[in-house]
Amino acid sequence: MPLMFLNGTAMAGGADHHLVGDAPLVATTTTAPRYRFHAVGGRYPALEDVGAGGAAVHGEVYDLSYDRLREVLLPGEPDGLELGVVELADGSGSLAMVLRRAHGAAELTDISALASWRAYRGQP
């Protein structure tokens, strides 16, 4: 089954965590330090791979079924994101939702210094 890195409202305790269902949590970790982390219109987070000089972003890795991923999680994602692959802190890869390559004029606020959606939202 695919591993899925989550870094927003689908993490444990988040408003969209129900989309994960009973998928097991594999790890609480960070990405490799190669991403800019944005708040898109203040509504949802987005990872952007910038290579060197990026941040290590906090998140959770879940072992999802393909059905859960395809039928439940992906349809619930905002239009400004697309499915991609991120590098985790240990060098392994995981599926994740990343900033759509042609994101247009979406309002992006760089929150890389916080490296955490929960910190941005003022949550523990």
Side-chain angles (χ1 to χ4, degrees):
M1 292 201 272
L3 296 180
M4 183 73 180
F5 178 80
L6 301 174
N7 60 2
T9 60
M11 290 190 299
D16 292 324
H17 186 65
H18 65 279
L19 298 174
V20 175
D22 61 357
L25 175 66
V26 174
T28 299
T29 189
T30 65
T31 64
R34 58 177 300 133
Y35 299 93
R36 299 305 316 154
F37 194 43
H38 304 283
V40 182
R43 297 174 303 140
Y44 58 89
L47 291 167
E48 179 182 25
D49 191 346
V50 295
V57 177
H58 296 273
E60 299 169 346
V61 178
Y62 287 88
D63 189 1
L64 294 175
S65 70
Y66 284 107
D67 286 343
R68 187 83 164 155
L69 180 63
R70 180 182 58 248
E71 303 298 329
V72 180
L73 187 64
L74 292 181
E77 292 293 340
D79 289 343
L81 302 177
E82 63 187 9
L83 189 61
V85 176
V86 296
E87 180 183 356
L88 300 177
D90 66 2
S92 66
S94 176
L95 295 175
M97 298 308 294
V98 298
L99 184 64
R100 187 174 298 280
R101 285 169 276 195
H103 57 82
E107 179 188 332
L108 301 178
T109 302
D110 190 334
I111 59 172
S112 300
L114 295 172
S116 164
W117 185 246
R118 288 179 178 138
Y120 172 73
R121 302 293 289 186
Q123 300 168 336

